[in-house]
Amino acid sequence: MTDEPTEAGGTTRTTSSSGSTASGGGASPRPAAASSERLSVPKSSVCSRSYFVVVMVFFHVYIVNVIALLLYVHYSSGQEDAGPPGRDAAQGEQQHQQQQARSQRLPSSTQSLRDVSLPRVEGVRVGHVQKLSLVPNKVHEITTLSLKPLLFEIPGFLSEDECRVVMQLAHLKGLTESQLMVQDGQEELAKELNLSPEEIFNLLDINQDGQLQLHEILTHSRVRDGIWLTPENLQEIYTGLKVDKDENGLLSLEEFRLLSADAFQRFLLQRGVERSQLVRNSRHTWLYQGRGAHQVLQDIKERVTRLTRLPSTLVDLSEPLQVVRYEEGGHYHAHHDSGPVYPETACTHTRLAANASTPFETSCRYITVLFYLNSVDGGGETAFPVADNRTFDEVCLIQNGVDLMDTRRNCEKSNLRVKATKGKAVFWYNYLSDGKGWVGEQDEYALHGGCVVTQGTKWVANKWINIDPDYQRQARYQQLVSQQPEDEDEDEDGLTLHFDIHQEL
């Protein structure tokens, strides 16, 4: 996400500073002549004595007033501190009741989790290097690549043998297409929400100008259909469906009514969709890391736990390891691994504990740890288009015909790119801290994507750590999972119960 980096992840930054100088002067002493003239004025002893008495009277009155003021303040504050009888006891009882209520809300099996909170690795500054021992007899260097998002790079996180084993296990498990060519059932959500065309139009009209710009329609279509359309593609669809009556590239509400999802998809199916037009073009599989898994997979999970410094329970209850292969031409356009969580949104992994049904679900992935399993001959970098931008505005992602989210066309325009090198790992936080030791708001700067592979093949693995920003839901989820009998935790495929509720974003 920000300035163009080198392979090592370095960035060039420009800073400016300004300084100022100040000078001061004091009052000039009076001329000696005037001083000696004043001293030469004759005074009687009576006047001198009267002057002295007056000065001393005023001085004593001043001292008495100061003492009286201090006594008043002292006794006033003492009475306030004392307060009404039983006030300290009442406060103590109130605090005790609050602690009791808090302990009742948080299951005992996870109460210590809240007490410990979620530690975060400090970035300090871009280029800062920390040393950490993650495996015996080896020291890893962790380099800060950006502060927004908080992003780090660890060369040599995996050995060559570990990379080879993970790829072999993925081959044995079998890889499937990461995305279908055209997704069905998109109208069901709209029907369930009972949204009118006017309501959908207002949701898409980000700047509320009564017209839908190309980028507003593009964002909607990519989320809905998983098809990556360029502005040129969208103009073709406008022409084919005859919705842009005045041909100005903007859609009014009346014109938008003609652009139904069914008509949109029918046009795409008739025209045909190529793999290069998908939001992502890859194959993937999942590798279980729990009891009975290959020792290399368990070692990687334990290493991630030490790296992130999170409680092992959180890592254990997160998603299995995802292994992804990109062939030549493969890519993944810029996206967020997690979505924002609102009151009407539920995290996918804790939905069973949410005690509510909602049509909106998102993958709450607090941390992403990405491993490169091989070195790519050409392309395949991980791009962070807006890393360390001074400001971020989603509308500005598509300007002057340049789409920063398009990793096939504009990867080189990303602020930060990380080269795919065997054994290297990068990890970042998808959420900010709430300031109280838990998960805060989504970090919009964590936008990232996979640049197109121009030569060779690219293998990566993702380890996501799932945490619900709603602590009580996370605690209930952990209690729910802990109550499952151990012999029922695993199914015939070796996947744990909680994995059944994980879905890809």
mmCIF file of all heavy atoms in Angstrom, residues 289-307:
data_model
loop_
_atom_site.group_PDB
_atom_site.id
_atom_site.type_symbol
_atom_site.label_atom_id
_atom_site.label_comp_id
_atom_site.label_asym_id
_atom_site.label_seq_id
_atom_site.Cartn_x
_atom_site.Cartn_y
_atom_site.Cartn_z
ATOM 1 N N GLN A 289 -4.655 -28.319 10.594
ATOM 2 C CA GLN A 289 -3.438 -28.159 11.392
ATOM 3 C C GLN A 289 -3.599 -28.623 12.837
ATOM 4 O O GLN A 289 -2.741 -28.362 13.664
ATOM 5 C CB GLN A 289 -3.009 -26.682 11.401
ATOM 6 C CG GLN A 289 -2.533 -26.167 10.056
ATOM 7 C CD GLN A 289 -2.075 -24.719 10.138
ATOM 8 O OE1 GLN A 289 -2.890 -23.807 10.154
ATOM 9 N NE2 GLN A 289 -0.777 -24.524 10.178
ATOM 10 N N GLY A 290 -4.695 -29.309 13.133
ATOM 11 C CA GLY A 290 -4.939 -29.738 14.508
ATOM 12 C C GLY A 290 -4.270 -31.061 14.843
ATOM 13 O O GLY A 290 -3.289 -31.473 14.213
ATOM 14 N N ARG A 291 -4.828 -31.732 15.850
ATOM 15 C CA ARG A 291 -4.272 -33.015 16.292
ATOM 16 C C ARG A 291 -4.257 -34.017 15.148
ATOM 17 O O ARG A 291 -5.242 -34.161 14.416
ATOM 18 C CB ARG A 291 -5.095 -33.585 17.449
ATOM 19 C CG ARG A 291 -5.068 -32.726 18.707
ATOM 20 C CD ARG A 291 -5.751 -33.453 19.860
ATOM 21 N NE ARG A 291 -7.096 -33.884 19.506
ATOM 22 C CZ ARG A 291 -8.169 -33.124 19.637
ATOM 23 N NH1 ARG A 291 -8.062 -31.878 20.082
ATOM 24 N NH2 ARG A 291 -9.376 -33.595 19.306
ATOM 25 N N GLY A 292 -3.135 -34.694 15.004
ATOM 26 C CA GLY A 292 -3.014 -35.700 13.960
ATOM 27 C C GLY A 292 -2.555 -35.156 12.625
ATOM 28 O O GLY A 292 -2.317 -35.937 11.702
ATOM 29 N N ALA A 293 -2.438 -33.849 12.486
ATOM 30 C CA ALA A 293 -1.971 -33.261 11.224
ATOM 31 C C ALA A 293 -0.481 -33.494 11.065
ATOM 32 O O ALA A 293 0.240 -33.840 12.014
ATOM 33 C CB ALA A 293 -2.289 -31.770 11.186
ATOM 34 N N HIS A 294 0.006 -33.296 9.858
ATOM 35 C CA HIS A 294 1.439 -33.434 9.588
ATOM 36 C C HIS A 294 2.220 -32.514 10.513
ATOM 37 O O HIS A 294 1.811 -31.388 10.792
ATOM 38 C CB HIS A 294 1.717 -33.095 8.124
ATOM 39 C CG HIS A 294 3.067 -33.523 7.651
ATOM 40 N ND1 HIS A 294 4.232 -32.871 8.009
ATOM 41 C CD2 HIS A 294 3.450 -34.550 6.838
ATOM 42 C CE1 HIS A 294 5.265 -33.456 7.439
ATOM 43 N NE2 HIS A 294 4.821 -34.490 6.716
ATOM 44 N N GLN A 295 3.369 -33.001 10.976
ATOM 45 C CA GLN A 295 4.147 -32.239 11.956
ATOM 46 C C GLN A 295 4.553 -30.869 11.424
ATOM 47 O O GLN A 295 4.599 -29.888 12.179
ATOM 48 C CB GLN A 295 5.398 -33.026 12.365
ATOM 49 C CG GLN A 295 6.161 -32.412 13.535
ATOM 50 C CD GLN A 295 5.315 -32.297 14.786
ATOM 51 O OE1 GLN A 295 4.625 -33.259 15.158
ATOM 52 N NE2 GLN A 295 5.346 -31.139 15.427
ATOM 53 N N VAL A 296 4.830 -30.769 10.139
ATOM 54 C CA VAL A 296 5.200 -29.466 9.569
ATOM 55 C C VAL A 296 4.051 -28.472 9.710
ATOM 56 O O VAL A 296 4.260 -27.306 10.070
ATOM 57 C CB VAL A 296 5.591 -29.622 8.079
ATOM 58 C CG1 VAL A 296 5.681 -28.253 7.399
ATOM 59 C CG2 VAL A 296 6.929 -30.342 7.957
ATOM 60 N N LEU A 297 2.826 -28.927 9.481
ATOM 61 C CA LEU A 297 1.672 -28.033 9.609
ATOM 62 C C LEU A 297 1.462 -27.602 11.059
ATOM 63 O O LEU A 297 1.118 -26.446 11.324
ATOM 64 C CB LEU A 297 0.420 -28.726 9.075
ATOM 65 C CG LEU A 297 0.463 -29.135 7.595
ATOM 66 C CD1 LEU A 297 -0.829 -29.840 7.193
ATOM 67 C CD2 LEU A 297 0.699 -27.913 6.717
ATOM 68 N N GLN A 298 1.676 -28.499 11.997
ATOM 69 C CA GLN A 298 1.562 -28.125 13.404
ATOM 70 C C GLN A 298 2.671 -27.161 13.811
ATOM 71 O O GLN A 298 2.436 -26.225 14.586
ATOM 72 C CB GLN A 298 1.599 -29.385 14.280
ATOM 73 C CG GLN A 298 0.417 -30.313 14.068
ATOM 74 C CD GLN A 298 0.349 -31.410 15.107
ATOM 75 O OE1 GLN A 298 0.349 -31.147 16.307
ATOM 76 N NE2 GLN A 298 0.307 -32.659 14.657
ATOM 77 N N ASP A 299 3.874 -27.388 13.288
ATOM 78 C CA ASP A 299 4.995 -26.487 13.607
ATOM 79 C C ASP A 299 4.721 -25.072 13.092
ATOM 80 O O ASP A 299 5.031 -24.086 13.770
ATOM 81 C CB ASP A 299 6.293 -27.021 12.986
ATOM 82 C CG ASP A 299 6.781 -28.298 13.664
ATOM 83 O OD1 ASP A 299 6.302 -28.589 14.787
ATOM 84 O OD2 ASP A 299 7.619 -28.994 13.060
ATOM 85 N N ILE A 300 4.150 -24.973 11.899
ATOM 86 C CA ILE A 300 3.848 -23.653 11.340
ATOM 87 C C ILE A 300 2.832 -22.933 12.210
ATOM 88 O O ILE A 300 2.963 -21.730 12.492
ATOM 89 C CB ILE A 300 3.330 -23.790 9.896
ATOM 90 C CG1 ILE A 300 4.457 -24.299 8.979
ATOM 91 C CG2 ILE A 300 2.789 -22.454 9.382
ATOM 92 C CD1 ILE A 300 3.997 -24.594 7.564
ATOM 93 N N LYS A 301 1.817 -23.660 12.664
ATOM 94 C CA LYS A 301 0.799 -23.043 13.525
ATOM 95 C C LYS A 301 1.418 -22.547 14.837
ATOM 96 O O LYS A 301 1.120 -21.425 15.288
ATOM 97 C CB LYS A 301 -0.313 -24.042 13.817
ATOM 98 C CG LYS A 301 -1.459 -23.452 14.628
ATOM 99 C CD LYS A 301 -2.518 -24.473 14.951
ATOM 100 C CE LYS A 301 -1.992 -25.513 15.923
ATOM 101 N NZ LYS A 301 -3.054 -26.437 16.390
ATOM 102 N N GLU A 302 2.282 -23.346 15.440
ATOM 103 C CA GLU A 302 2.931 -22.922 16.684
ATOM 104 C C GLU A 302 3.843 -21.720 16.451
ATOM 105 O O GLU A 302 3.940 -20.822 17.290
ATOM 106 C CB GLU A 302 3.727 -24.087 17.268
ATOM 107 C CG GLU A 302 2.848 -25.248 17.739
ATOM 108 C CD GLU A 302 3.658 -26.449 18.179
ATOM 109 O OE1 GLU A 302 4.910 -26.349 18.162
ATOM 110 O OE2 GLU A 302 3.054 -27.487 18.523
ATOM 111 N N ARG A 303 4.497 -21.691 15.307
ATOM 112 C CA ARG A 303 5.379 -20.563 14.983
ATOM 113 C C ARG A 303 4.561 -19.282 14.801
ATOM 114 O O ARG A 303 4.984 -18.188 15.220
ATOM 115 C CB ARG A 303 6.173 -20.880 13.712
ATOM 116 C CG ARG A 303 7.465 -20.092 13.556
ATOM 117 C CD ARG A 303 8.236 -20.626 12.365
ATOM 118 N NE ARG A 303 8.445 -22.059 12.480
ATOM 119 C CZ ARG A 303 8.801 -22.863 11.474
ATOM 120 N NH1 ARG A 303 8.981 -22.339 10.261
ATOM 121 N NH2 ARG A 303 8.971 -24.146 11.652
ATOM 122 N N VAL A 304 3.395 -19.396 14.181
ATOM 123 C CA VAL A 304 2.509 -18.238 14.025
ATOM 124 C C VAL A 304 2.048 -17.741 15.389
ATOM 125 O O VAL A 304 1.951 -16.531 15.630
ATOM 126 C CB VAL A 304 1.307 -18.607 13.136
ATOM 127 C CG1 VAL A 304 0.237 -17.534 13.204
ATOM 128 C CG2 VAL A 304 1.759 -18.810 11.698
ATOM 129 N N THR A 305 1.781 -18.667 16.297
ATOM 130 C CA THR A 305 1.363 -18.274 17.648
ATOM 131 C C THR A 305 2.456 -17.473 18.336
ATOM 132 O O THR A 305 2.190 -16.443 18.972
ATOM 133 C CB THR A 305 1.020 -19.523 18.477
ATOM 134 O OG1 THR A 305 -0.003 -20.274 17.811
ATOM 135 C CG2 THR A 305 0.521 -19.133 19.860
ATOM 136 N N ARG A 306 3.705 -17.915 18.216
ATOM 137 C CA ARG A 306 4.810 -17.173 18.839
ATOM 138 C C ARG A 306 5.023 -15.825 18.148
ATOM 139 O O ARG A 306 5.351 -14.827 18.791
ATOM 140 C CB ARG A 306 6.094 -18.004 18.791
ATOM 141 C CG ARG A 306 6.085 -19.202 19.731
ATOM 142 C CD ARG A 306 7.472 -19.787 19.889
ATOM 143 N NE ARG A 306 7.931 -20.411 18.657
ATOM 144 C CZ ARG A 306 7.722 -21.685 18.339
ATOM 145 N NH1 ARG A 306 7.027 -22.452 19.155
ATOM 146 N NH2 ARG A 306 8.189 -22.173 17.216
ATOM 147 N N LEU A 307 4.843 -15.796 16.829
ATOM 148 C CA LEU A 307 5.040 -14.553 16.085
ATOM 149 C C LEU A 307 4.013 -13.497 16.486
ATOM 150 O O LEU A 307 4.355 -12.343 16.740
ATOM 151 C CB LEU A 307 4.944 -14.833 14.585
ATOM 152 C CG LEU A 307 4.916 -13.610 13.656
ATOM 153 C CD1 LEU A 307 6.249 -12.875 13.715
ATOM 154 C CD2 LEU A 307 4.589 -14.039 12.228
#
